[in-house]
């Protein structure tokens, strides 16, 4: 099984050499400890050479992945310098320092990019270790202020993986309870399954103290125990003391020390190296099946994505032509699906888009814009009054002039141009978003995507100009002729009767039809008064009511809409709410709801608020008109106009009311026609035309726009992604082949002996006791079998707590006959083998 470590090294090289960053956790050992705890010295003792940087402060500033491989010759190799063998370990130390400075700088900076070093030597056992920076508390040089937190994050990046064994190095001359290494290991391995304790500097403990309780695993025990080592002192290192001499001195120290001599065979660097080799081998054997499963899943995932890249040749013109045709067909399908709607899994579940948003523009936004442009009622009546008096001139008018009706209606129809043009702009804007969304799949070929977007957008802009001309022409049609014979027009007689009835009753007759239902939040009520929570609102043409929930069983309040207006509420700077708010209020200042001057309602999005506003406009609740007065002359003119209006006679009032009813009736016909014809014109002239263009003419325009080979050039990101996917695929394939070879080659390899044998029966510890027979009781020596009985004697009775004295005194006739014709009913005494 020892070649398992070599196999994992091959896996690491297979991934690293291809530059693949796979989310696979290969089994390894991470060396963790505080500064100057002796981590580097332990690693150098394994190799038997001085090859790690030395100095004061933080020396290890990048993770060092050290692969120890048992070989005939002694040399080192770096993965970032492939093919170069370092036979001098002083050169290896210098290369580690230089490579560290190349990434982190020369002023104590740190980096989590590892350095890979492989050491071949006949004096090492196969091991893979990671030397991590020691924990430091104070930043020096170019180190950031949070250097301690950064080093912890770097260490956790390695030891958090379940496949990583943790070698927690702690000096013996410090309190074990304050060990940084054990604290970090405890956070990620609370059960201690992956942690191996190492106690260094045993020779530097105060006189009269020792670490016997720790090494015997009695103080802060670990499941894998502690191993003590003695490293070279700073004086020995500066004096270039040979590591082999240091190992001999370490052995002599443990044999001569009264507290350690009884367990000297389980201490020291050679024993630590053997234990780590054994533990890592066992760990690899345990984690190999899971690693194989993970690689197979990764392979299946990659196969689907790599299928199109396997036989890809960037210079093949036929492949480029085929790819362009496929992408244009996909664009046609996506555009059609986005506009017309689809039940596929690609449906946007976060917001309205495509055809659904255009539908909302047609039936809610256009209606809202048309109703919003209606002028103030008071202003409209004043204009009608002036028109009637100006038409009569110096004469006294006996009849209501129809020219006043025509003049007012033309002004109202002309106001429709702005909302219908805005509707076209909103639809074109949404179409542009749809085109960008549908061409996103062409991102692999940026020039093709850019040219496709340009061609489609240019065509849509041309159709937009034509559509606006046609829609404005519809408005001009309405201005050209007033069809007062329309079947829905009330006519002069009905308008006059309606005005007289209104004067008598003083009210308007409306059907109490339901306009809208939905959830809103009453924003200006406190939580204790039932506010700041969603209610179910029902809006009718006469009132708005809210209920506890959608069942509409528990009504909270009903608010009449007569005389109410709408206004927007801006959220304050300190407001934590992200909801959009508007308010219902009374222009005369009366209370609207209980003691509140206005009722503030809020929705999640701006679109919801605009939709509710359009519904309120249908119910006759108009937005607040912002009137500004610039100077005193305007105030005087306003007062003058008001005095002129208040001086009108009753006959003029009746004429104004009649014209107002006629205008209202005719404008309902015009707006109804406009709301019906504008979406139809936009659909025919823009949307359907764009679909026909994409399906029929887009490909021809692309061929005519330039060189297709340049247009189908891959982006740098796509080429990099394709190469990365292929590298990952090959690395996975090689890794699975390596693991497959290993599992077959190591099926019959013997398992290494366990670290502890305290789980074995105590009887086997005495070599003088023979192992029990298959039929005997395990762990207790039974009587020696009679040679004449062979293997045919009956099994011994099961052991119990009571003796069986009645067996020897049993009469011979009652006992079963013994095989082989032996006389007597009882066995001979086993302790007298010399009796004949």
């Amino acid at each position: 099984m020892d070649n398992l470590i070599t196999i994992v090294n091959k896996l690491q090289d297979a991934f690293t050499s291809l530059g693949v960053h796979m989310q696979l956790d290969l089994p390894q050992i991470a060396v963790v400890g505080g500064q100057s705890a002796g981590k580097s010295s332990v690693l150098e003792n394994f190799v038997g050479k001085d090859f790690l940087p030395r100095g004061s402060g933080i020396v290890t500033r990048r993770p060092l992945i050290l692969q120890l491989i048992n070989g005939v010759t002694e040399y080192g190799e770096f993965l970032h310098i492939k093919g170069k063998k370092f036979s001098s370990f002083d050169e290896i130390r210098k290369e580690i320092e230089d490579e560290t400075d190349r990434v982190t700088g020369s002023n104590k900076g740190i980096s989590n990019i590892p350095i890979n070093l492989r050491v071949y030597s006949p004096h090492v056992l196969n091991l893979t270790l990671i030397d991590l920076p020691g924990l430091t508390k104070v930043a020096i040089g170019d180190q950031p202020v949070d250097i301690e937190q950064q080093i912890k994050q770097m260490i956790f990046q390695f030891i958090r993986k379940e496949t990583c064994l943790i070698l927690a190095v702690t000096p013996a001359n410090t309190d074990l309870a304050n060990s940084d290494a054990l604290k970090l290991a405890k956070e990620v391995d609370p059960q201690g399954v992956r942690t191996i304790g190492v106690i260094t500097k045993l020779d530097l403990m105060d006189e009269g103290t020792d670490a016997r309780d720790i090494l015997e695993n009695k103080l802060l025990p670990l499941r894998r125990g502690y191993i003590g080592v003695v490293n070279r002192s700073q004086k020995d290192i500066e004096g270039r003391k040979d590591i082999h001499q240091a190992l001999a001195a370490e052995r002599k120290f443990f044999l001569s020390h009264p507290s350690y001599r009884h367990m000297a065979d389980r201490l020291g660097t050679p024993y630590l190296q053997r234990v780590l080799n054994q533990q890592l081998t066992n760990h690899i054997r345990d984690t190999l099946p899971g690693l194989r499963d993970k690689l197979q899943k990764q392979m299946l995932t990659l196969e689907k994505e790599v299928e199109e890249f396997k036989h890809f040749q960037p210079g093949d013109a036929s492949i480029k032509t085929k790819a362009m045709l496929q992408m244009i067909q996909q664009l046609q399908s996506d555009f059609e699906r986005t506009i017309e709607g689809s039940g596929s899994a690609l449906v946007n579940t976060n917001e309205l888009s495509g055809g659904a948003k255009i539908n909302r523009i047609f039936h809610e936004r256009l209606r809202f814009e048309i109703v919003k442009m209606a002028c103030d009622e008071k202003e409209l009546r004043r204009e009608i009054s002036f028109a009637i008096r100006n038409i009569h001139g110096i004469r006294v008018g006996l009849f209501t002039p129809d020219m006043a009706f025509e003049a007012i209606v033309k002004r109202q129809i002309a106001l429709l141009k702005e909302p219908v043009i805005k509707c076209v702009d909103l639809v074109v804007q949404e179409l542009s978003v749809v085109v960008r969304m549908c061409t996103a799949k062409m991102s692999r070929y940026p020039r093709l995507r850019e040219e496709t977007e340009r061609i489609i957008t240019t065509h849509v802009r041309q159709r937009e100009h034509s559509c606006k001309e046609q829609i404005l022409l519809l408005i001009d049609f309405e201005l050209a002729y007033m069809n007062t014979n329309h079947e829905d027009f009330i006519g002069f007689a009905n308008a006059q009767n309606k005005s007289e009835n209104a004067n008598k009753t003083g009210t308007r007759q409306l059907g109490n039809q339901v306009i809208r239902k939905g959830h809103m939040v009453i924003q200006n009520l406190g939580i204790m008064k039932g506010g700041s929570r969603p209610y179910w609102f029902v809006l009718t043409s006469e009132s708005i009511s809210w209920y506890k929930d959608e069942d509409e069983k528990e009504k909270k309040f009903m608010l009449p809409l007569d005389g109410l207006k709408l206004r927007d509420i801006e959220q304050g700077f300190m407001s934590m709410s992200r909801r959009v708010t508007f308010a219902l209020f009374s222009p005369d200042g009366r209370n609207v709801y209980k003691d509140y001057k206005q009722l503030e309602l809020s929705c999640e999005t701006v679109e919801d608020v605009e939709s509710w506003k359009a519904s309120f406009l249908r119910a006759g609740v108009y937005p607040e008109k912002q009137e500004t007065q610039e100077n005193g002359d305007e105030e005087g003119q306003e007062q003058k106009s008001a005095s002129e209006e208040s001086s009108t006679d009753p006959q003029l009032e009746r004429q104004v009311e009649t014209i107002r009813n006629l205008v209202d009736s005719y404008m309902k016909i015009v707006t109804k026609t406009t709301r019906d014809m504008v979406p139809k014109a936009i659909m025919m002239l823009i949307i359907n035309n764009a679909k026909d263009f994409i399906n029929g003419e887009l490909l021809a325009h692309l061929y005519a726009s330039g060189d297709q080979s340049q247009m189908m050039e891959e982006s740098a990101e796509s080429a990099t992604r394709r190469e990365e996917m292929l590298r990952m695929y090959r690395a996975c394939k090689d890794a699975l082949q390596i693991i497959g070879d290993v599992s077959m080659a190591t099926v019959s390899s013997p398992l290494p002996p366990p670290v502890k044998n305290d789980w074995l029966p105590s009887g086997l510890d005495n070599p003088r006791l023979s192992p029990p027979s298959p039929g005997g009781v395990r762990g207790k020596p039974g009587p020696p079998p009679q040679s004449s009985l062979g293997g045919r004697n009956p099994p011994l009775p099961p052991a119990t707590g009571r003796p069986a004295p009645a067996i020897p005194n049993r009469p011979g006739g009652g006992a079963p006959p013994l095989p082989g014709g032996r006389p007597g009913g009882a066995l001979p005494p086993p302790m007298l083998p010399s009796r004949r």
Side-chain angles (χ1 to χ4, degrees):
M1 291 291 285
D2 197 34
N3 59 349
L4 285 178
I5 299 176
T6 307
I7 293 308
V8 172
N9 291 341
K10 287 183 182 179
L11 290 177
Q12 284 181 332
D13 293 343
F15 292 139
T16 310
S17 61
L18 290 172
V20 177
H21 302 286
M22 298 280 289
Q23 295 297 322
L24 292 174
D25 303 331
L26 298 177
Q28 53 200 2
I29 300 176
V31 185
V32 181
Q35 276 193 31
S36 303
K39 304 186 302 299
S40 299
S41 297
V42 171
L43 298 180
E44 287 182 338
N45 289 347
F46 287 165
V47 179
K49 298 288 184 180
D50 292 325
F51 68 97
L52 293 176
R54 295 282 182 176
S56 60
I58 181 170
V59 178
T60 305
R61 294 181 286 130
R62 287 177 61 184
L64 175 67
I65 299 178
L66 179 62
Q67 297 177 2
L68 304 181
I69 301 173
N70 186 271
V72 180
T73 57
E74 198 170 43
Y75 64 92
E77 286 181 345
F78 287 96
L79 201 60
H80 62 272
I81 309 177
K82 297 180 180 179
K84 182 177 180 180
K85 296 183 178 180
F86 292 81
S87 56
S88 170
F89 284 84
D90 291 334
E91 294 181 3
I92 291 178
R93 181 194 299 113
K94 186 176 185 306
E95 180 59 32
I96 293 174
E97 293 173 349
D98 294 343
E99 179 64 17
T100 300
D101 292 342
R102 273 194 286 270
V103 175
T104 64
S106 58
N107 199 11
K108 303 298 183 181
I110 65 169
S111 171
N112 60 354
I113 302 175
I115 300 173
N116 289 73
L117 171 62
R118 179 181 295 174
V119 175
Y120 296 84
S121 173
H123 309 298
V124 300
L125 296 177
N126 290 340
L127 273 180
T128 301
L129 305 110
I130 303 175
D131 187 18
L132 295 170
L135 287 171
T136 183
K137 306 293 183 182
V138 181
I140 60 173
D142 288 339
Q143 295 174 353
V145 179
D146 60 340
I147 181 68
E148 180 182 7
Q149 200 62 30
Q150 287 193 19
I151 294 178
K152 281 186 178 180
Q153 293 299 326
M154 185 191 305
I155 293 174
F156 283 143
Q157 181 182 347
F158 289 92
I159 67 175
R160 188 178 285 117
K161 302 171 183 175
E162 291 295 327
T163 55
C164 180
L165 292 176
I166 305 170
L167 195 66
V169 180
T170 304
N173 55 358
T174 61
D175 188 0
L176 189 65
N178 297 325
S179 169
D180 293 328
L182 291 179
K183 181 181 177 183
L184 293 177
K186 190 74 173 176
E187 291 186 31
V188 297
D189 183 31
Q191 303 299 324
V193 178
R194 300 185 284 119
T195 305
I196 303 171
V198 176
I199 306 298
T200 62
K201 302 183 181 181
L202 290 168
D203 55 332
L204 300 181
M205 298 185 70
D206 294 338
E207 188 175 353
T209 61
D210 58 53
R212 177 173 176 173
D213 289 343
I214 298 174
L215 297 176
E216 289 180 348
N217 210 20
K218 296 178 181 177
L219 180 65
L220 296 177
L222 294 175
R223 293 182 66 171
R224 296 181 184 261
Y226 296 88
I227 299 173
V229 296
V230 175
N231 298 327
R232 293 177 298 166
S233 64
Q234 190 64 31
K235 181 179 179 182
D236 295 337
I237 295 171
E238 293 173 355
R240 311 288 290 181
K241 182 177 180 179
D242 186 62
I243 291 183
H244 297 289
Q245 296 178 4
L247 293 177
E250 177 190 49
R251 177 70 175 166
K252 182 179 178 181
F253 171 80
F254 286 128
L255 289 173
S256 60
H257 198 286
S259 299
Y260 308 135
R261 65 164 66 106
H262 68 287
M263 49 181 169
D265 292 339
R266 299 193 302 275
L267 300 174
T269 302
Y271 178 74
L272 174 61
Q273 193 172 1
R274 290 196 303 272
V275 168
L276 292 182
N277 174 264
Q278 172 189 320
Q279 299 274 17
L280 182 58
T281 303
N282 292 339
H283 195 57
I284 292 173
R285 182 192 62 207
D286 295 338
T287 57
L288 208 56
L291 183 62
R292 184 192 296 112
D293 293 343
K294 197 168 185 179
L295 275 171
Q296 287 173 344
K297 291 178 182 177
Q298 192 88 14
M299 185 84 168
L300 291 174
T301 304
L302 288 173
E303 275 183 346
K304 299 176 183 177
E305 302 181 12
V306 170
E307 190 62 35
E308 57 177 317
F309 300 141
K310 281 184 179 179
H311 310 291
F312 182 78
Q313 297 178 1
D316 193 340
S318 61
I319 293 180
K320 291 183 177 181
T321 304
K322 181 180 178 181
M324 185 172 75
L325 291 174
Q326 288 176 343
M327 288 187 178
I328 296 302
Q329 290 176 355
Q330 185 67 41
L331 172 65
Q332 295 168 357
S333 174
D334 291 346
F335 188 83
E336 180 85 16
R337 188 186 299 115
T338 306
I339 297 298
E340 300 295 336
S342 168
S344 67
L346 302 176
V347 172
N348 188 351
T349 58
N350 297 322
E351 61 180 358
L352 289 179
S353 62
K357 193 165 185 178
I358 293 174
N359 178 69
R360 187 171 190 173
I361 293 172
F362 285 162
H363 300 293
E364 290 188 10
R365 190 63 185 269
L366 176 60
R367 179 192 295 269
F368 174 68
E369 294 295 334
I370 289 176
V371 177
K372 190 173 69 172
M373 65 91 188
C375 66
D376 185 70
E377 182 71 18
K378 183 178 179 181
E379 183 71 19
L380 179 60
R381 288 181 176 275
R382 194 168 67 88
E383 291 177 359
I384 295 173
S385 174
F386 286 150
I388 292 173
R389 284 189 282 179
N390 287 331
I391 289 173
H392 286 161
I394 198 170
R395 297 163 297 157
V396 177
L398 299 177
F399 304 101
T400 304
D402 56 351
M403 293 181 63
F405 160 75
E406 187 171 339
I408 297 298
V409 165
K410 284 186 175 181
R411 288 190 73 256
Q412 294 292 309
I413 293 176
L415 294 176
L416 290 174
K417 292 183 178 180
E418 181 181 349
V420 296
I421 293 299
K422 188 172 183 179
C423 180
V424 176
D425 292 337
L426 290 173
V427 171
V428 171
Q429 180 182 349
E430 182 60 26
L431 275 182
S432 302
V433 174
V434 170
V435 170
R436 282 197 301 271
M437 185 172 60
C438 293
T439 56
K441 295 180 180 178
M442 297 181 178
S443 57
R444 184 176 170 188
Y445 303 101
R447 293 187 181 181
L448 175 65
R449 180 182 182 180
E450 180 182 348
E451 190 66 20
T452 303
E453 287 187 10
R454 184 191 66 80
I455 292 173
I456 297 176
T457 304
T458 302
H459 178 77
V460 170
R461 293 296 178 187
Q462 292 173 353
R463 302 308 303 170
E464 175 192 4
H465 180 70
S466 174
C467 181
K468 287 181 178 178
E469 289 181 348
Q470 294 295 326
I471 289 178
L472 292 178
L473 195 58
L474 289 176
I475 304 298
D476 292 338
F477 291 162
E478 297 289 349
L479 291 171
Y481 177 65
M482 304 296 162
N483 183 17
T484 54
N485 289 327
H486 195 281
E487 57 185 6
D488 294 333
F489 187 60
I490 61 174
F492 179 80
N494 292 332
Q496 197 168 15
N497 294 333
K498 185 177 179 181
S499 63
E500 292 176 358
N501 293 333
N503 290 332
K504 290 179 181 178
T505 60
T507 58
R508 53 176 182 167
Q509 300 295 326
L510 287 175
N512 194 20
Q513 59 179 352
V514 175
I515 297 175
R516 179 170 184 151
K517 296 182 180 182
H519 280 104
M520 284 192 292
V521 172
I522 302 178
Q523 200 71 17
N524 59 331
L525 296 186
I527 298 177
M528 299 301 294
K529 296 185 178 181
S532 299
R533 54 153 295 183
Y535 288 102
W536 181 256
F537 282 80
V538 177
L539 176 64
T540 67
S541 57
E542 294 183 353
S543 65
I544 181 169
S545 307
W546 56 93
Y547 300 82
K548 182 179 180 181
D549 49 33
E550 296 92 332
D551 296 337
E552 300 183 13
K553 294 181 180 179
E554 185 179 344
K555 181 184 285 190
K556 295 295 183 179
F557 197 80
M558 185 182 73
L559 180 65
L561 297 178
D562 285 337
L564 297 184
K565 287 190 177 295
L566 285 171
R567 68 158 62 117
D568 292 326
I569 301 294
E570 295 184 1
Q571 293 292 343
F573 179 73
M574 299 299 292
S575 176
M576 301 297 292
S577 175
R578 296 179 178 270
R579 303 179 65 88
V580 186
T581 308
F582 66 99
L584 293 171
F585 73 100
S586 177
D588 56 8
R590 62 181 174 86
N591 290 340
V592 174
Y593 172 65
K594 296 184 179 180
D595 296 333
Y596 295 93
K597 297 292 185 183
Q598 62 183 16
L599 181 67
E600 298 180 6
L601 305 173
S602 67
C603 300
E604 290 285 348
T605 62
V606 177
E607 288 82 3
D608 291 339
V609 169
E610 290 180 351
S611 180
W612 272 103
K613 285 182 180 179
S615 301
F616 275 108
L617 287 174
R618 291 176 58 193
V621 181
Y622 293 91
E624 177 184 22
K625 187 173 181 64
Q626 301 294 334
E627 296 181 357
T628 57
Q629 298 177 351
E630 296 181 358
N631 49 43
D633 294 337
E634 291 187 1
E635 291 182 6
Q637 185 67 28
E638 193 71 26
Q639 293 175 359
K640 182 179 178 182
S641 299
S643 63
E644 290 178 358
E645 184 179 355
S646 62
S647 64
T648 57
D649 56 8
Q651 183 181 358
L652 180 59
E653 277 294 321
R654 288 194 297 272
Q655 292 177 350
V656 168
E657 184 66 27
T658 301
I659 296 294
R660 176 68 185 90
N661 291 333
L662 291 172
V663 170
D664 188 43
S665 175
Y666 195 81
M667 285 306 299
K668 284 182 180 179
I669 298 172
V670 174
T671 54
K672 182 178 179 180
T673 305
T674 303
R675 290 201 308 265
D676 181 58
M677 293 303 298
V678 168
K680 292 178 179 179
I682 295 175
M683 282 297 299
M684 188 194 83
L685 297 174
I686 298 181
I687 298 176
N688 291 341
N689 190 279
K691 286 194 292 185
D692 295 340
F693 177 80
I694 292 174
N695 292 332
E697 302 180 33
L698 175 60
L699 197 58
H701 280 74
L702 283 173
Y703 276 114
S705 62
D707 188 8
Q708 281 72 46
S709 60
Q710 294 181 357
M711 194 184 303
M712 294 300 293
E713 286 184 1
E714 264 190 313
S715 65
E717 295 81 3
S718 299
T720 304
R721 180 178 175 274
R722 174 168 51 83
E723 294 172 0
E724 178 76 13
M725 297 287 290
L726 291 173
R727 281 202 304 269
M728 290 176 65
Y729 180 76
R730 296 191 193 102
C732 267
K733 200 171 181 181
D734 295 343
L736 279 173
Q737 186 176 1
I738 291 170
I739 291 180
D741 295 341
V742 151
S743 59
M744 289 187 296
T746 58
V747 163
S748 58
S749 299
L751 294 176
V755 178
K756 295 181 180 181
N757 60 355
D758 53 0
W759 59 275
L760 292 172
S762 58
L764 291 184
D765 293 339
N766 189 348
R768 291 178 296 175
L769 295 177
S770 61
S773 64
V777 181
R778 292 186 61 86
K780 293 183 180 180
Q786 296 295 328
S787 58
S788 60
L789 295 178
R792 298 188 301 274
N793 58 322
L796 293 176
T800 61
R802 296 181 299 169
I807 294 178
N809 301 329
R810 189 176 294 169
L818 294 175
R822 176 178 293 276
L827 292 175
M831 300 305 295
L832 302 173
S834 60
R835 183 176 296 175
R836 300 292 181 184

